[in-house]
Amino acid sequence: ADRLTREFRKNLLGQEGSAREVVGRFFHNLAKRENPGCYFLTLGSELSSADPDVRRRVKAALEATRQLFRDLLTREQRWAGPEIEAKSAVLLGATVSILMLVRVY
């Protein structure tokens, strides 16, 4: 599951185009009805408080996704470090929200 999640994120966020275009496509694909959401995050939110290995793996997956957002924002050369940190945190939060909401709707 970790490998598939990494490949999924990399394939979407590693695309050419402006950060706005790439993030727009990324969120559009996450929100598609046929996307079942992220079982990794769902189970991780339930199990991470009881299992340190699950917590570590969930944190690593989230950090890897945030790093892809940082890389994408950095390549734009429009923002400085603090702005990139803030924007990457917001984008990660939106990603998690979309993945969780897709499971419900």
Side-chain angles (χ1 to χ4, degrees), residues 28-52:
H28 177 79
N29 285 323
L30 286 183
K32 284 183 179 176
R33 282 286 201 198
E34 56 270 7
N35 181 347
C38 182
Y39 298 107
F40 187 72
L41 284 176
T42 303
L43 289 173
S45 66
E46 297 293 327
L47 298 175
S48 66
S49 60
D51 188 332

Side-chain angles (χ1 to χ4, degrees), residues 23-83:
V23 169
R25 285 191 301 265
F26 178 70
F27 287 158
H28 177 79
N29 285 323
L30 286 183
K32 284 183 179 176
R33 282 286 201 198
E34 56 270 7
N35 181 347
C38 182
Y39 298 107
F40 187 72
L41 284 176
T42 303
L43 289 173
S45 66
E46 297 293 327
L47 298 175
S48 66
S49 60
D51 188 332
D53 185 52
V54 170
R55 183 181 308 118
R56 181 188 57 74
R57 292 175 70 190
V58 169
K59 283 180 77 171
L62 293 171
E63 181 55 32
T65 302
R66 186 170 180 193
Q67 187 58 51
L68 288 170
F69 284 126
R70 284 184 191 111
D71 294 345
L72 179 65
L73 294 167
T74 299
R75 90 176 180 209
E76 287 275 311
Q77 298 180 347
R78 291 176 54 192
W79 301 286
E83 289 176 296

Side-chain angles (χ1 to χ4, degrees), residues 77-94:
Q77 298 180 347
R78 291 176 54 192
W79 301 286
E83 289 176 296
I84 289 171
E85 287 303 306
K87 289 177 186 305
S88 67
V90 168
L91 292 169
L92 177 63

